[in-house]
C-alpha cells in the first residue's frame, strides 16, 4: 500500500491543532484539542498520541499509508536527539524527550521543529510563498517571530536560532527588550510594541486626536484600536502606524539584503491591518533595500491563517527521510 498521507501537529500553549494531509499538501481532515499544561505539562505528549491514534481509527485511515508526523512546538529543538527545552508556555521546565515518546506511542517517524519555523514553511509551501524556494516569514503577535526558507529548506543556524527576526536591532539604544538588548524590532512592531509607541508619541503630541485623548484618560488601548483609529483618519494614530511601517520596512530590507528572497511574508495578528500596514512597510522597504534585491523581492500578507503551522509541520515530515529502527 502506497504511503501518501502526512500528519501535521501545531502545538500551542492553549490549543493543539492537527491535520491529515496528502503528500501534495491538501488538508483532508483537521481537528484540535485543548493543551493541558497541568502537572508540568506531562499530559501534553500522551494527549497528542491518544488524539492521533483515535482519529486514525475514526477516519478509518490505514496506518500503512502514513508517511510520518511533523510537529511544530514552542521552545528550542535539539534536532539530533528530538528533544525540546525552554518551552515555558507549555509548563515544560526541563528538556522533554518528545520525539521518542511520540514515535513509541504512534509507531510513526516524527520530525520536530520550532512552531514559527513551521508556520514559515507552511506559508512557503502552500500559502503566499507560492512554493518558491527562497522565502522569509515574519509573524507579528504579542512578540515578533519568523522563519527563513533557503533553497526550499528551513535555516536553523549553529544554535537553532536562525530567524529570530524580532531581535534584529532597528533602533540602536532604543526600547529595552526582554532579551536584554535595546532597540529590537519586537519592541516596535509587536502588539505591545505598537501600544508602547502610541503612548510615547501621545506624550509628545500637542494637537487634538482621539488616540491621545484615550491614552490621557487611561482608557485601554490595543494595537487593533490604534490601527482602527488610523483608518478613520486620526492623525496621531497614523503617526504611530507610519513608525511601525518604518521599522518593519527597515527590517525587511535588511533581510532581503542578506538573504535575497523572492518573497517576504508578513503574518500574525498585527498583520490583520492588511494592506493599510503592508503598503507602508513596502514604501520603507523600497527606500532601504539594495536595488538588486529590491527588484526581485515581493512583500506579501500571509494567507493560511491558523493552518500555517500544520501545513509546515506536514512539510517537515515529508522532507525527512527518517524511519523508526
Amino acid at each position: 500500500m502506497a504511503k501518501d498521507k502526512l500528519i501535521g501537529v501545531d502545538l500551542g500553549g492553549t490549543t493543539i491543532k492537527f491535520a491529515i494531509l496528502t503528500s501534495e499538501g491538501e488538508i483532508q481532515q483537521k481537528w484540535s484539542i485543548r493543551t493541558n499544561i497541568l502537572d508540568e505539562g506531562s499530559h501534553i505528549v500522551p494527549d497528542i498520541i491518544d488524539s492521533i491514534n483515535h482519529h486514525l481509527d475514526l477516519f478509518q485511515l490505514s496506518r500503512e499509508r502514513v508517511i510520518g508526523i511533523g510537529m511544530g512546538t514552542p521552545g528550542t529543538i535539539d534536532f539530533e536527539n528530538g528533544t525540546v527545552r525552554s518551552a515555558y508556555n507549555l509548563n515544560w521546565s526541563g528538556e522533554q524527550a518528545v520525539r521518542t515518546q511520540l514515535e513509541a506511542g504512534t509507531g510513526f517517524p516524527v520530525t520536530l521543529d520550532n512552531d514559527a519555523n513551521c508556520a514559515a514553511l507552511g506559508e512557503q509551501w502552500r500559502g503566499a510563498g507560492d512554493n518558491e524556494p527562497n522565502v522569509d516569514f515574519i509573524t507579528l503577535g504579542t512578540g515578533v517571530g519568523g522563519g527563513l526558507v533557503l533553497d526550499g529548506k528551513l535555516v536553523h543556524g549553529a544554535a537553532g536560532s536562525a530567524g529570530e527576526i524580532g531581535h534584529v536591532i532597528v533602533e540602536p539604544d532604543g526600547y529595552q527588550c526582554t532579551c536584554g538588548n535595546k532597540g529590537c524590532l519586537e519592541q516596535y512592531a509587536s502588539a505591545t510594541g505598537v501600544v508602547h509607541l502610541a503612548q510615547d508619541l501621545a506624550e509628545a503630541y500637542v494637537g487634538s486626536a482621539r488616540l491621545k485623548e484615550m491614552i490621557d484618560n487611561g482608557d485601554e488601548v490595543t494595537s487593533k484600536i490604534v490601527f482602527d483609529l488610523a483608518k478613520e483618519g486620526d492623525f496621531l494614530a497614523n503617526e504611530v502606524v507610519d513608525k511601525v511601517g518604518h521599522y518593519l520596512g527597515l527590517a525587511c530590507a535588511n533581510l532581503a539584503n542578506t538573504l535575497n528572497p523572492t518573497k517576504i511574508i508578513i503574518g500574525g495578528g498585527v498583520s490583520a491591518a492588511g494592506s493599510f500596514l503592508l503598503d507602508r512597510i513596502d514604501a520603507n522597504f523600497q527606500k532601504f533595500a539594495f536595488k538588486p534585491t529590491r527588484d526581485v523581492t515581493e512583500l506579501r500578507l500571509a494567507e493560511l491563517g491558523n493552518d500555517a503551522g500544520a501545513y509546515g509541520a506536514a512539510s517537515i515530515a515529508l522532507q525527512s527521510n527518517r524511519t523508526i529502527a
Side-chain angles (χ1 to χ4, degrees), residues 46-280:
D47 285 352
I48 292 171
I49 293 168
D50 289 346
S51 189
I52 289 172
N53 289 333
H54 169 70
H55 282 84
L56 289 177
D57 292 340
L58 183 68
F59 300 140
Q60 297 183 332
L61 177 61
S62 169
R63 304 176 74 87
E64 297 299 317
R65 298 180 64 183
V66 177
I67 297 167
I69 299 171
M71 187 170 85
T73 173
T76 302
I77 316 297
D78 181 327
F79 296 100
E80 183 176 348
N81 295 310
T83 59
V84 180
R85 57 182 171 82
S86 304
Y88 303 114
N89 62 334
L90 299 177
N91 206 20
W92 283 347
S93 56
E95 195 164 31
Q96 307 292 317
V98 174
R99 188 174 70 201
T100 299
Q101 294 177 65
L102 285 176
E103 290 185 342
T106 64
F108 301 124
V110 174
T111 308
L112 304 176
D113 212 312
N114 175 265
D115 50 357
N117 280 346
C118 284
L121 198 58
E123 283 289 345
Q124 177 266 337
W125 184 35
R126 298 292 299 177
D130 295 332
N131 202 27
E132 293 179 7
N134 298 295
V135 172
D136 299 339
F137 177 70
I138 303 175
T139 178
L140 310 173
T142 52
V144 173
L148 311 173
V149 182
L150 186 66
D151 295 333
K153 303 287 186 181
L154 283 167
V155 178
H156 295 113
S161 297
E164 288 289 354
I165 298 164
H167 298 290
V168 170
I169 304 297
V170 293
E171 185 67 72
D173 299 319
Y175 292 158
Q176 181 69 53
C177 184
T178 54
C179 75
N181 285 336
K182 292 183 177 180
C184 295
L185 178 64
E186 185 166 286
Q187 297 305 308
Y188 297 89
S190 65
T192 51
V194 171
V195 174
H196 192 173
L197 273 174
Q199 292 168 335
D200 273 11
L201 291 179
E203 186 176 352
Y205 185 65
V206 295
S208 175
R210 175 60 181 151
L211 178 58
K212 179 175 175 62
E213 181 183 327
M214 291 182 67
I215 291 172
D216 288 349
N217 288 340
D219 297 337
E220 181 185 11
V221 173
T222 64
S223 60
K224 182 179 186 302
I225 288 172
V226 173
F227 284 108
D228 286 346
L229 288 173
K231 291 175 182 178
E232 294 169 9
D234 185 277
F235 182 85
L236 178 60
N238 272 286
E239 290 286 293
V240 176
V241 177
D242 284 344
K243 279 281 192 182
V244 175
H246 164 82
Y247 289 121
L248 280 167
L250 175 60
C252 287
N254 288 336
L255 273 179
N257 293 349
T258 305
L259 296 166
N260 197 198
T262 54
K263 289 183 173 64
I264 297 177
I265 301 169
I266 312 291
V270 173
S271 74
S275 60
F276 186 77
L277 175 60
L278 188 68
D279 289 348
R280 303 187 199 206

Side-chain angles (χ1 to χ4, degrees), residues 242-325:
D242 284 344
K243 279 281 192 182
V244 175
H246 164 82
Y247 289 121
L248 280 167
L250 175 60
C252 287
N254 288 336
L255 273 179
N257 293 349
T258 305
L259 296 166
N260 197 198
T262 54
K263 289 183 173 64
I264 297 177
I265 301 169
I266 312 291
V270 173
S271 74
S275 60
F276 186 77
L277 175 60
L278 188 68
D279 289 348
R280 303 187 199 206
I281 299 172
D282 192 54
N284 285 280
F285 173 78
Q286 299 298 324
K287 175 182 175 182
F288 293 120
F290 181 49
K291 188 178 188 304
T293 58
R294 182 177 69 221
D295 289 348
V296 299
T297 302
E298 178 186 7
L299 271 57
R300 299 187 66 176
L301 293 169
E303 296 176 354
L304 298 180
N306 290 333
D307 290 336
Y311 275 110
S315 181
I316 63 172
L318 183 63
Q319 291 180 5
S320 173
N321 292 317
R322 293 187 61 259
T323 56
I324 299 178

